[in-house]
Amino acid sequence: MEISKDIRYIGVNDHRIDLFESQYVVENGMAYNSYVILDKKIAVMDTVDARFGKTWLNNLLAVLGDRKPDYLIVQHMEPDHSANIDTFVKKYPDAKIVASAKAFMMMQQFFGTDFTEHQVVVADGDTLSLGNHELTFVSAPMVHWPEVLMTYDSTDKVLFSADAFGKFGALDAEEEWEDEARRYYFGIVGKYGTQVQKVLKKAALLDIATICPLHGPILNENLGHYIDLYQSWSSYEAESEGVFIAYTSVYGHTKAAVELLAEKLSQKGCPKVITCDLAREDMAKAVENAFRYNKLVLATTTYNAGIFPFMEHFIHGLTERNFQKRTVAFMENGSWAPLAAKVMKEMLSKSKDLIFTDTTVSLLSALSDDSREQIEKLSDELCFDYLAQQEETANKSDLAALFKIGYGLYVVTSNDGNRDNGCIVNAVTQLTDNPNRIAVGINKKNYSHDVIKKTGIMNVNCLSVDAPFSVFENFGFQTGAEVDKFAKMPPLRSDNGLAFLHRYINAFFSLKVEQYLDLGSHGIFICSVTESRVLSDLDTMTYTYYQKNVKPKPDTDGKKGWVCKICGYVHESEDLPDDFICPLCKHGVADFEKIE
């Protein structure tokens, strides 16, 4: 397979394997990827699993012809990629091995030698020239082993990404990338979200046209989609709206309660309802779905004064992977002393940013009028925002929306006649209640200012405390004059035709401009309220909360230079040019401060 004029694929497909890492079901096998860069000097990128050493060497020989490789670059020491290092050295004794210092330590452990005479030790930022191709090494510790390096070829703009962006399944299997990549990520890499985030920041500074992982297909189209998914997964944001119900049921009564809840949720507008019998379905798939959807229901029986073993195993699978930022509800069953809800909640006690529903469904052996009423109440609670989003069920005159106003952070949405737009503001105030008048202050530099001044309408979305940093990146770090800010989040619409956010807000209200005040740098729009909806009971995001809990802490340890106060980007240089623009948030030098 030809990746580019000089880069060839020499990996193998494994259809004999049934369990990857002896635990993950792989019905469509696995791919062990390896690559060759042909230049004045030749570099081989990783080896493959021990069982395919002969096939791999034949693939390598077919590409090399009469030539010999100069380097073997070892990005990852897990045996499915490193097993043939010793075989390679014996075949090509003049070649050098390029790897991190930790990788050579592991070679000693795996092979009884660290290949001292062949060593080329590299670290983050080091480079290697092959002639025309210039390689830069990107340290990626704990993604998902400590020795991992990625390699960037600036000539062909290829990122050799080690295990990142990989998936289950052989290359000749026809299946959607997302499902098996998501199951792979949360099963294998999911614990290390912080480390993945750091690598993504490094990758954001590279001009990448192709991603070559160690498992799964080569990615060379729509790379933004894959990177956005990794951004969501590694920051533990929910990827999709919906309720995932994981349950165990001994005699069918808990299952009947789950089916009733699922039916109620669907009737009340929940966009996706997934149920999973943990005793019979793939546990890795269940973990994947718990991370995929924004709401989780756990339903199980009390068992030996605890909970059913499959549920216990499932919850451990979540907590050891840093499960967080979700709404969680409980359903329990017990014939004499129901304890399951209490036990499950205690197991999740160390998980961050979980919102537990007020309603817990408690069955005594089987469904009853009381438990059916609890299920009705829980379905209302889980669907509160969905009911408020729908035209037929929304309360469009809920003035409690105005109580969500504080010194908070808001997304003001508008439309210039061609596309929807949105910007972050922090100046929204209720002036009067008879009639209702709202003042909104917007910086004149914002594209939204001119759009609203022209159209006379806007929506104010009250951001809630579950809003991730990506919302601020999207609506605050780029201009709607150049970027479609709703390209990746199709909006819902209010009666005035404008967009409102379907996630991360607790209320929105539609405004009609009645008066405009010019206050120099800002314009103040004094508006009447034409529609107002409450979508959740979460607190409004304040500026203080954003600074303390949402805005990333800049990684300045051991660094000298300047740090962006907006997004935390670090520019390592003694001087900061007057025209310097932050590559992440696009703010200028006024928003940088020197690292002390």
Side-chain angles (χ1 to χ4, degrees), residues 432-496:
T432 62
D433 60 4
N434 189 19
N436 281 308
R437 288 291 184 266
I438 306 294
V440 181
I442 302 179
N443 193 309
K444 291 181 180 177
K445 292 180 180 179
N446 283 341
Y447 181 62
S448 297
H449 172 275
D450 295 339
V451 171
I452 295 168
K453 195 173 180 184
K454 179 180 178 181
T455 62
I457 56 174
M458 71 179 92
N459 282 348
V460 174
N461 298 262
C462 301
L463 290 173
S464 46
V465 290
D466 62 336
F469 186 62
S470 58
V471 171
F472 297 90
E473 290 180 297
N474 184 52
F475 289 107
F477 293 172
Q478 52 189 356
T479 174
E482 300 173 356
V483 175
D484 181 357
K485 297 186 181 183
F486 282 92
K488 297 175 183 176
M489 53 168 68
L492 299 172
R493 299 206 177 273
S494 55
D495 286 348
N496 63 6

Side-chain angles (χ1 to χ4, degrees), residues 73-317:
I73 298 175
V74 178
Q75 299 183 111
H76 184 21
M77 275 300 299
E78 207 164 0
D80 55 335
H81 308 299
S82 67
N84 290 285
I85 293 175
D86 189 54
T87 302
F88 176 89
V89 171
K90 289 175 181 176
K91 178 75 174 176
Y92 301 107
D94 294 330
K96 297 293 185 181
I97 301 175
V98 182
S100 67
K102 281 190 174 68
F104 284 112
M105 291 172 58
M106 290 184 181
M107 288 180 208
Q108 179 70 48
Q109 295 167 193
F110 278 112
F111 301 106
T113 175
D114 61 1
F115 302 100
T116 303
E117 295 180 357
H118 300 268
Q119 282 190 17
V120 177
V121 180
V122 292
D124 190 50
D126 288 348
T127 60
L128 177 68
S129 177
L130 302 179
N132 184 42
H133 290 263
E134 297 290 329
L135 307 182
T136 302
F137 298 100
V138 180
S139 177
M142 299 316 299
V143 185
H144 58 119
W145 279 27
E147 87 297 354
V148 174
L149 288 172
M150 297 181 183
T151 308
Y152 177 66
D153 172 18
S154 58
T155 304
D156 283 349
K157 301 179 180 180
V158 174
L159 177 67
F160 297 92
S161 61
D163 269 353
F165 299 100
K167 65 176 282 294
F168 295 126
L171 294 192
D172 54 4
E174 293 186 10
E175 59 190 5
E176 293 293 330
W177 184 89
E178 284 84 351
D179 284 348
E180 288 298 78
R182 189 188 300 108
R183 187 166 70 98
Y184 175 90
Y185 176 87
F186 284 112
I188 294 171
V189 190
K191 180 181 178 66
Y192 304 106
T194 300
Q195 291 83 354
V196 174
Q197 287 274 296
K198 289 180 179 179
V199 174
L200 288 174
K201 285 186 177 180
K202 295 178 184 179
L205 305 177
L206 304 175
D207 183 9
I208 302 171
T210 303
I211 296 176
C212 290
L214 288 178
H215 295 294
I218 289 82
L219 306 176
N220 51 24
E221 295 180 353
N222 199 17
L223 295 187
H225 171 67
Y226 304 113
I227 293 171
D228 284 347
L229 284 175
Y230 254 64
Q231 182 69 38
S232 294
W233 297 344
S234 60
S235 59
Y236 303 101
E237 298 172 22
E239 179 188 340
S240 304
E241 286 279 336
V243 178
F244 177 58
I245 308 175
Y247 73 92
T248 63
S249 185
V250 181
Y251 297 109
H253 297 297
T254 306
K255 180 180 180 180
V258 164
E259 289 174 343
L260 179 59
L261 175 63
E263 180 184 348
K264 297 284 186 183
L265 294 173
S266 297
Q267 289 172 353
K268 293 175 181 179
C270 183
K272 190 75 172 179
V273 182
I274 303 290
T275 63
C276 173
D277 182 348
L278 295 174
R280 290 172 172 81
E281 299 184 35
D282 178 22
M283 191 63 72
K285 183 68 176 178
V287 169
E288 171 207 335
N289 276 326
F291 279 96
R292 177 176 182 175
Y293 296 101
N294 64 325
K295 297 175 185 179
L296 171 67
V297 178
L298 301 173
T300 194
T301 51
T302 301
Y303 193 81
N304 289 337
I307 57 175
F308 205 70
F310 288 105
M311 179 61 75
E312 184 174 20
H313 178 50
F314 174 63
I315 295 176
H316 279 308

Side-chain angles (χ1 to χ4, degrees), residues 384-385 388-389 500-502 505-508 533-537:
F384 184 89
D385 49 349
Q389 291 169 4
F500 68 90
L501 276 62
H502 67 284
I505 65 173
N506 55 23
F508 82 86
R533 301 192 205 179
V534 174
L535 284 88
S536 86
D537 290 327

Side-chain angles (χ1 to χ4, degrees), residues 6-26:
D6 299 329
I7 302 175
R8 308 295 166 81
Y9 179 85
I10 57 168
V12 297
N13 285 321
D14 180 1
H15 286 291
R16 289 179 281 173
I17 189 171
D18 59 341
L19 292 177
F20 182 72
E21 292 190 351
S22 296
Q23 61 176 318
Y24 299 104
V25 176
V26 283

